[in-house]
Structures are given as C-alpha cells and as structure tokens.
C-alpha cells in the first residue's frame, strides 16, 4: 500500500518480508532477561556457593527461559506461523550468543555436543514460546 507522500506501509506483519525491527526488539528483551537472571544466579553463587554442575544447569535453564519469552513475544506479534517465528527468534538468540562467545574467546570455540545441545535448546525454547503464544 502506498501513501500520498510516496512511502510504503511496512508489510512485514502480513507475511511479506521479515520484520527485522521486531525481531531485534524480541532479541533485546531476551538478552535483558538473560542478564537479569544471570545476575540473580551470580548473587546466589556468591551467597550460597553453588557447585559447578548446578551453575551449568542454571545457565541452560536461563537460556531456555529467555528464548521461550522472546519466542512468546514474537509469536504474539506475528499472529501466523508462530512456531516458525519463535524458532527464528531462538535461533537468532543462539547465533548472537555464539558470535559473542567467538569474539570474547578470541576465536577459540569448540563445536562439541554442548554447542549443538545449546543450539537445540535455544531454538526449541523459542519455538515452544511461539507455539504457546
């Protein structure tokens, strides 16, 4: 649809294109939630002296919770193919996470089972959030 001043209406929400702006907002929300939950985990680690296994499990749970709520937001906004948009959001979350890990780790990232397990959990958490939205 074209308006009088020549600008076009954003067709992204109607299935014609990818709404990058909204996906970025969902990712930002997910990362703010992740930072908040990681701060709570750090506080609990400091006060309670949690062991390494508990902290590792908690980090994975935080990733799933953050992608679930990001996928939920994305699914609500998109309206159709909610599971797909949740999957996209969860996968994008993981890709940003992997890119940051590469930069911080100076390119030293191992493509072991943990890498792919985290990918599946992030993508699955986003997809589940999209489906339940």
């Amino acid at each position: 649809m074209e308006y009088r001043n020549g600008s076009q209406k954003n067709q992204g929400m109607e299935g014609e294109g990818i709404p990058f702006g909204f996906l970025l907002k969902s990712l930002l929300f997910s990362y703010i939630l992740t930072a908040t939950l990681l701060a709570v985990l750090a506080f609990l680690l400091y006060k309670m002296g949690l062991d390494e296994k508990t902290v590792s499990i908690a980090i994975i749970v935080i990733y799933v919770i953050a992608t679930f709520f990001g996928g939920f937001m994305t699914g609500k906004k998109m309206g159709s193919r909610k599971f797909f948009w949740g999957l996209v959001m969860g996968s994008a979350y993981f890709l940003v996470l992997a890119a940051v890990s590469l930069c911080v780790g100076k390119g030293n990232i191992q493509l072991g089972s943990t890498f792919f397990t985290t990918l599946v959990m992030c993508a699955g958490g986003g997809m589940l959030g999209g489906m339940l939205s």
Side-chain angles (χ1 to χ4, degrees):
M1 174 177 281
E2 188 164 311
Y3 293 108
R4 281 187 233 179
N5 65 1
S7 66
Q8 291 186 348
K9 180 180 176 186
N10 182 0
Q11 298 291 324
M13 299 305 151
E14 298 173 10
E16 295 181 19
I18 299 172
F20 288 110
F22 185 74
L23 285 174
L24 288 176
K25 288 179 186 177
S26 295
L27 275 174
L28 181 63
F29 170 78
S30 294
Y31 279 111
I32 290 170
L33 181 59
T34 300
T36 303
L37 293 175
L38 286 175
V40 169
L41 179 62
F43 177 75
L44 292 175
L45 178 62
Y46 174 72
K47 287 293 183 183
M48 300 173 67
L50 302 173
D51 63 347
E52 186 176 339
K53 186 175 182 179
T54 304
V55 172
S56 295
I57 291 170
I59 290 171
I60 291 171
V61 169
I62 288 170
Y63 290 162
V64 173
I65 289 170
T67 55
F68 174 84
F69 283 111
F72 188 86
M73 280 180 49
T74 305
K76 277 284 193 203
K77 181 73 173 180
M78 299 310 292
S80 64
R81 298 188 328 182
K82 297 177 181 185
F83 72 94
F84 171 74
W85 290 109
L87 178 68
V88 168
M89 204 292 305
S91 299
Y93 178 95
F94 176 78
L95 289 175
V96 171
L97 190 67
V100 169
S101 295
L102 270 172
C103 291
V104 171
K106 297 179 178 72
N108 187 15
I109 191 167
Q110 296 176 349
L111 297 177
S113 63
T114 306
F115 182 84
F116 293 109
T117 302
T118 305
L119 167 62
V120 168
M121 284 197 242
C122 289
M127 187 169 64
L128 182 63
M131 288 190 302
L132 296 179
S133 64

